[in-house]
Amino acid sequence: MNFGKLALLVVVASALVLGGCTTAQQSTAVGTGAGAGVGAIIGHQSGHTAEGALIGAGVGAWALHLRQRKEERGAQSNKQEQNYEYRYR
């Protein structure tokens, strides 16, 4: 299997898997993939590609999951403020 077919297979499989995910899950998956890529590049420079990818995937997933949770809390807070203003006008 050549690289082009493999890349297409990965993209299609990712789209199918992420299609059924919530926004938070999609954000975490994107963070994991991006972190793994960056970690692999940095790890390759020091001869530890696999370890760099694993660490990068963990850091990326954690960072984007926290970001998504913060956004959800902000949206919930805004909704509560709007409900308060609507009730007590």
Side-chain angles (χ1 to χ4, degrees), residues 5 13 15-17 20-21 29 31 33 38 45-46 50 60 62 80 83 86:
K5 288 181 182 179
L16 290 174
V17 169
C21 294
V38 171
Q45 299 301 319
S46 62
W62 176 73
Q80 289 174 348
N83 286 338
Y86 177 75

Side-chain angles (χ1 to χ4, degrees), residues 5-81:
K5 288 181 182 179
L6 180 63
L8 179 62
L9 178 65
V10 168
V11 169
V12 170
S14 298
L16 290 174
V17 169
L18 291 177
C21 294
T22 65
T23 304
Q25 292 168 334
Q26 289 176 352
S27 180
T28 303
V30 169
T32 302
V38 171
I41 292 169
I42 293 171
H44 180 71
Q45 299 301 319
S46 62
H48 300 284
T49 306
E51 292 89 346
L54 289 173
I55 292 169
V59 170
W62 176 73
L64 281 178
H65 177 72
L66 289 180
R67 179 177 156 253
Q68 184 63 33
R69 286 183 58 196
K70 182 179 177 183
E71 287 178 6
E72 287 174 356
R73 286 183 183 157
Q76 184 179 22
S77 176
N78 288 341
K79 187 175 182 178
Q80 289 174 348
E81 289 174 12

